[in-house]
Amino acid sequence: MSGYTIIHGLFNFAVLAAALFFIGRKLIPKIFGGRREQIVEDLKAADEAEVKAKELLAGVEDARRKGEEECSGILDAARETVAEEEKKAEAAGRKIADGLQEDNRKALQHHTRTLRNELTQEAMDEITAQSAALMAGDRYRAARARMTERLIWRAEEGLTITRGELLTFREKGKLSMEFRSAEALTEEQTGRLKTAVLDKLRKMGEEVTEEQLDLAVCVDESLIGGVYLRLGDTVYDSTLKGMLKRAKNSVSVLEHDDEEMIDALKEELAAVDREPAIYQKGTVISVSDGICRISGVSDAMAGELIEFRSDLRGMVMDLEKDNVGVVLLGDYSSLQEGDEVRRSGRIIEVPVGEEMIGRVVDSLGNPIDGGGEIHTTESRPIENLAPGVISRRPVSVPMQTGIKAIDALVPIGRGQRELIIGDRQTGKTAIAIDTIINQKGKNMICIYVAIGQKESTVAGCVQKLREHGAMDYTIVVCASASESAPMVYIAPYSGAAMGEYFMYKGRDVLIIYDDLSKQAVAYREISLLLHRPPGREAYPGDVFYLHSRLLERAARLSEEAGGGSMTALPIIETQAGDISAYIPTNVISITDGQIFLETDLFNSGVRPAVNVGLSVSRVGGSAQLGAMKQVAGRLRMDLAQYRELAAFSQFGSDLDKATRQTLHRGDRMTELLKQGQYAPMDASDQVISIYAVSEGFADGIELQDVARYEQGLIPYVNRRYPELRTHIMSGKKLGDEQLKKLRQLISDYTAGFGA
């Protein structure tokens, strides 16, 4: 049984081996044949890859070699740039060092003056104290008696009763009088003073008796000698104490060596006026929010300067029946009810003159730039009548801003008033600063009045003006946001007074008010505190007069009146582009045109963001160079048409060829009128670039290349046609030959641009 099983197993194995032999005989060649073909193809691909790798390595080697050459060129250029920047940095460093040395020198001079003034005042205190002690003795009793007699004689000869005191007497039926003296007056002396007052009133047609004089007599030994007479609000001070006090107050900083100090003080004392001091006084009855009410000073004038005991000054703003409203110009924290004040007898004024140029001053003309005192010999009232029609002549001389969009579309002339209006942060101040920078070398005095701005902002503007050399012909009047409302209110008038000094001397002046909307707010605050009735938008009814009497002072004078000019660029801030608000409409009606800056244009990158449709100059081409008027004549219309079509084309895609061409050229005009800040252009350069684009030479230029095209075109034309600049700046139009040559040069440059 077991043998049979073994034989059966061997038989099965043989059958299986035979089957595997026959199957493998067919499959193995087939399998390995396919593998062999695959291996051959792989070897062939490997050869091709090797060839490509060798080619790639050769290309990499070439690229590496070229890269090394380019890197070498870049490094050389970088080294040159670094060397140039190092030279510029070194020059800038020297300039800054020189400026610091100059600032330190000015600060030292200011400190020295302050110290000498303190020493001088201490010396005067000692001299006045010693003089008072000396005169109080019996030795000078006769001299004191002569002082008393001098005042009585003066009262008998030339006593004055003001109109205010006369009206008070008629209303109350009494006239208050006060006699004060260091020694008791005799009945005869008192009678003579009363008789002098009665005689004066009777000569003025008044029926008066002795009982109607409300007389108070007292002895005050502190007066040392002489008589103090008060008649109504007017004071006649003939006391020795008053004379010494006037001597002390009259001493300024003495420019003398220490050895000469005593002699100089003696000269000051010898020059003291021995005549009685005559002034009108009053009393503070209330102080609140920069406004004080004063009783007395019945003859005060509107706008008059009021003097307080300290260095504080005030300006009369409100004239009531029984009191005067005064706005306080400075720190009034020490002012109290009952303090004595005096009339100055003059309208508030500011220092003017060549010495103001290059300085930063406050609304009263006091320096705030750390450069020391300003020694001027002249001053002008901040309020002044505008020149009359006979004193003016037409505005016909251009005042170039250096900004293409303005000089081409909204030309400004010397003596013009052109409003800059727009929302906050739309570039209004940038236009003003660029205009000042562009006046370099044009014999123009510039005045920048910063109204209600942050001090850091004003400091930044001043620094930019210094960097561009514009402070050499510029005065900055700063009434910052931290100042009181009265200081903000008078700042524009102070700037106008400084400008008028130069205008009436035949000079050309540019004054910028940045901005008048803040001045109007300050005036509204003052008016509401003075209890004046509010009107539209809570502004008082005379707010129009606030700006009209300021802007009317800008003019171009006739030769007989001086021949100078003052160009005003007021700035007004709008809310959400609303030019129909109260203050914008007021100023628009006063000025000779406006430059409207649009927020949407500014945010879309069009800067300056001048809205062509709403901007206008009522002087027009009369104040434009002939060549500029010639090439930019149709620019306004083309741009206005472009803006309208651009808005319309947003609603449709199928545009005809003429519309597409208008939009195409309008895009390039808009791109050309874009201009960076602190980069004003000469008028001749503006004419070249505007002519090139308006005549279609830039139609084939890509939009992003327009700025580069302009930057290359201007020097190209100036090099090959230098006499063109002289002709353009002469104000004449371009002739046919000049236009032909200009077209040829622009055409040649355009053909080679980008090649």
Side-chain angles (χ1 to χ4, degrees):
M1 188 70 181
S2 60
Y4 176 79
T5 303
I6 292 169
I7 294 169
H8 182 72
L10 291 171
F11 178 77
N12 289 338
F13 177 77
V15 172
L16 179 60
L20 289 173
F21 173 77
F22 286 109
I23 293 171
R25 184 180 177 183
K26 293 182 179 180
L27 288 177
I28 288 173
K30 186 175 181 181
I31 292 172
F32 282 97
R35 291 290 305 275
R36 185 170 61 249
E37 293 176 358
Q38 182 65 37
I39 290 170
V40 171
E41 291 178 358
D42 289 345
L43 290 172
K44 185 177 179 181
D47 293 338
E48 293 177 355
E50 183 179 3
V51 173
K52 290 182 178 179
K54 290 179 179 179
E55 294 176 353
L56 182 61
L57 287 173
V60 169
E61 182 65 23
D62 292 340
R64 184 185 64 79
R65 188 169 57 255
K66 291 180 179 178
E68 289 179 352
E69 294 176 355
E70 292 179 357
C71 286
S72 178
I74 292 172
L75 288 173
D76 291 341
R79 291 190 189 96
E80 293 178 0
T81 303
V82 169
E84 291 177 359
E85 292 299 325
E86 286 179 349
K87 291 180 181 178
K88 291 180 181 178
E90 185 180 355
R94 286 197 301 269
K95 185 175 181 181
I96 292 173
D98 294 340
L100 289 174
Q101 290 178 0
E102 179 65 16
D103 291 342
N104 291 335
R105 185 183 64 79
K106 291 180 178 178
L108 181 61
Q109 288 179 347
H110 176 62
H111 178 70
T112 303
R113 290 193 190 99
T114 303
L115 182 59
R116 292 184 66 82
N117 191 44
E118 291 175 356
L119 292 173
T120 304
Q121 290 300 321
E122 290 178 4
M124 285 302 301
D125 288 339
E126 182 65 23
I127 288 174
T128 53
Q130 294 292 335
S131 300
L134 180 65
M135 290 295 294
D138 292 337
R139 180 179 177 183
Y140 292 98
R141 184 182 300 276
R144 296 198 301 271
R146 286 195 298 272
M147 293 174 64
T148 302
E149 188 62 29
R150 185 184 298 118
L151 177 64
I152 296 174
W153 175 80
R154 176 68 182 269
E156 291 175 329
E157 293 296 322
L159 191 71
T160 22
I161 296 179
T162 65
R163 182 174 179 81
E165 291 157 357
L166 184 61
L167 292 174
T168 302
F169 171 74
R170 289 173 179 173
E171 180 182 352
K172 297 181 178 180
K174 284 191 175 183
L175 183 62
S176 63
M177 293 180 62
E178 180 186 4
F179 296 159
R180 281 196 291 157
S181 59
E183 298 168 314
L185 297 177
T186 64
E187 292 185 4
E188 186 265 339
Q189 289 174 326
T190 305
R192 287 169 61 190
L193 286 171
K194 292 168 64 175
T195 302
V197 175
L198 292 171
D199 290 345
K200 184 65 177 178
L201 285 171
R202 287 164 183 162
K203 287 180 181 178
M204 298 176 73
E206 300 296 323
E207 295 182 0
V208 59
T209 62
E210 188 173 336
E211 289 72 20
Q212 289 179 290
L213 298 181
D214 188 5
L215 178 62
V217 181
C218 66
V219 176
D220 185 357
E221 294 182 354
S222 67
L223 300 179
I224 306 174
V227 178
Y228 173 94
L229 167 63
R230 180 182 59 79
L231 180 62
D233 298 328
T234 306
V235 172
Y236 299 81
D237 187 356
S238 182
T239 64
L240 183 60
K241 179 181 179 181
M243 290 183 183
L244 293 173
K245 186 176 181 180
R246 293 199 300 276
K248 175 185 172 183
N249 293 336
S250 66
V251 176
S252 59
V253 178
L254 298 174
E255 301 292 345
H256 297 283
D257 297 333
D258 294 338
E259 294 78 6
E260 300 174 350
M261 179 76 75
I262 301 300
D263 293 336
L265 291 175
K266 288 180 179 178
E267 291 176 4
E268 291 287 337
L269 288 170
V272 172
D273 187 6
R274 294 177 177 81
E275 291 297 318
I278 303 174
Y279 57 88
Q280 229 179 30
K281 74 168 190 175
T283 305
V284 176
I285 57 178
S286 68
V287 184
S288 177
D289 298 318
I291 304 292
C292 79
R293 292 280 176 182
I294 298 173
S295 65
V297 292
S298 54
D299 291 278
M301 303 176 288
E304 184 178 352
L305 182 68
I306 299 295
E307 300 173 345
F308 297 83
R309 284 186 176 178
S310 61
D311 291 334
L312 180 64
R313 298 290 183 266
M315 182 175 67
V316 176
M317 285 282 290
D318 209 17
L319 298 174
E320 299 289 344
K321 183 177 181 180
D322 55 352
N323 66 79
V324 173
V326 177
V327 295
L328 302 172
L329 305 172
D331 182 13
Y332 58 90
S333 57
S334 62
L335 188 64
Q336 298 179 351
E337 295 181 9
D339 284 354
E340 181 181 302
V341 302
R342 294 185 183 184
R343 282 186 60 198
S344 67
R346 64 182 190 276
I347 302 298
I348 186 169
E349 55 190 19
V350 291
V352 296
E354 299 284 345
E355 298 83 0
M356 305 293 292
I357 298 176
R359 302 301 300 272
V360 183
V361 299
D362 64 9
S363 302
L364 296 175
N366 301 315
I368 57 175
D369 55 0
E373 297 296 325
I374 301 175
H375 299 286
T376 61
T377 57
E378 296 186 56
S379 60
R380 287 184 65 90
I382 65 170
E383 297 272 10
N384 194 27
L385 288 177
V389 176
I390 304 300
S391 301
R392 298 173 182 252
R393 56 177 168 170
V395 176
S396 59
V397 179
M399 198 285 298
Q400 298 290 335
T401 65
I403 301 171
K404 291 175 286 187
I406 296 176
D407 291 341
L409 303 174
V410 197
I412 302 173
R414 299 193 179 192
Q416 188 174 341
R417 302 154 299 177
E418 185 76 10
L419 171 64
I420 302 174
I421 186 170
D423 284 359
R424 185 174 178 271
Q425 297 292 329
T426 52
K428 301 184 296 297
T429 301
I431 288 178
I433 298 299
D434 283 354
T435 303
I436 293 177
I437 293 172
N438 192 58
Q439 305 313 310
K440 188 172 184 179
K442 295 181 171 62
N443 194 27
M444 177 85 76
I445 301 296
C446 298
I447 301 173
Y448 177 70
V449 185
I451 309 168
Q453 299 184 35
K454 294 188 296 184
E455 291 182 356
S456 58
T457 303
V458 180
C461 292
V462 172
Q463 181 60 31
K464 286 296 180 183
L465 293 174
R466 290 194 193 280
E467 290 176 2
H468 292 85
M471 283 301 291
D472 295 339
Y473 51 87
T474 302
I475 304 170
V476 177
V477 181
C478 176
S480 63
S482 61
E483 295 278 5
S484 61
M487 294 290 278
V488 175
Y489 160 68
I490 69 170
Y493 301 107
S494 300
M498 296 175 191
E500 284 176 331
Y501 169 82
F502 296 102
M503 178 178 70
Y504 285 106
K505 287 187 175 295
R507 306 282 295 276
D508 291 315
V509 180
L510 168 66
I511 185 165
I512 294 166
Y513 306 108
D514 189 10
D515 63 85
L516 291 185
S517 52
K518 291 185 177 65
Q519 188 210 14
V521 170
Y523 184 66
R524 175 171 61 185
E525 178 183 341
I526 293 171
S527 299
L528 294 177
L529 290 171
L530 290 170
H531 304 292
R532 295 179 180 177
R536 178 179 166 186
E537 300 178 24
Y539 287 104
D542 62 340
V543 73
F544 179 89
Y545 184 55
L546 173 78
H547 292 146
S548 64
R549 73 177 190 266
L550 170 69
L551 296 174
E552 289 293 338
R553 293 161 73 173
R556 183 166 178 246
L557 299 178
S558 62
E559 292 295 339
E560 294 77 13
S565 70
M566 185 160 70
T567 308
L569 296 183
I571 295 176
I572 289 290
E573 182 179 306
T574 56
Q575 304 293 328
D578 183 15
I579 61 175
S580 63
Y582 191 26
I583 301 302
T585 52
N586 278 353
V587 183
I588 287 173
S589 65
I590 296 167
T591 52
D592 304 316
Q594 66 274 349
I595 300 168
F596 181 70
L597 303 179
E598 190 175 354
T599 305
D600 292 341
L601 287 176
F602 185 86
N603 293 335
S604 64
V606 179
R607 301 177 186 179
V610 178
N611 184 309
V612 180
L614 296 178
S615 300
V616 64
S617 172
R618 297 188 182 95
V619 174
S622 300
Q624 201 171 22
L625 293 175
M628 178 67 78
K629 184 177 180 180
Q630 185 178 6
V631 302
R634 68 182 197 186
L635 185 61
R636 170 186 288 276
M637 186 179 298
D638 291 344
L639 279 173
Q641 184 181 11
Y642 159 72
R643 296 276 167 83
E644 187 175 342
L645 287 175
F648 177 76
S649 65
Q650 296 176 356
F651 302 99
S653 58
D654 188 14
L655 302 174
D656 60 90
K657 183 178 179 181
T659 302
R660 288 198 302 272
Q661 177 62 26
T662 301
L663 292 173
H664 182 82
R665 184 169 296 181
D667 288 336
R668 278 137 190 83
M669 288 181 180
T670 303
E671 191 68 23
L672 175 84
L673 292 179
K674 292 180 182 179
Q675 194 168 342
Q677 195 172 355
Y678 312 124
M681 290 178 60
D682 287 339
S684 59
D685 296 343
Q686 295 181 35
V687 169
I688 294 170
S689 58
I690 291 173
Y691 184 75
V693 175
S694 61
E695 291 296 318
F697 288 101
D699 288 354
I701 306 298
E702 293 296 329
L703 198 61
Q704 64 271 17
D705 293 332
V706 170
R708 186 166 61 89
Y709 172 80
E710 181 190 29
Q711 291 173 0
L713 173 64
I714 292 172
Y716 178 85
V717 174
N718 286 335
R719 282 195 306 270
R720 287 161 176 76
Y721 196 3
E723 58 270 21
L724 179 66
R725 172 184 173 81
T726 305
H727 184 85
I728 292 175
M729 298 308 294
S730 68
K732 300 176 183 177
K733 290 187 176 182
L734 298 176
D736 293 339
E737 289 298 325
Q738 292 165 323
L739 286 174
K740 181 179 179 181
K741 187 171 182 180
L742 179 59
R743 289 179 64 89
Q744 184 61 46
L745 288 172
I746 296 175
S747 178
D748 293 343
Y749 174 79
T750 306
F753 179 75

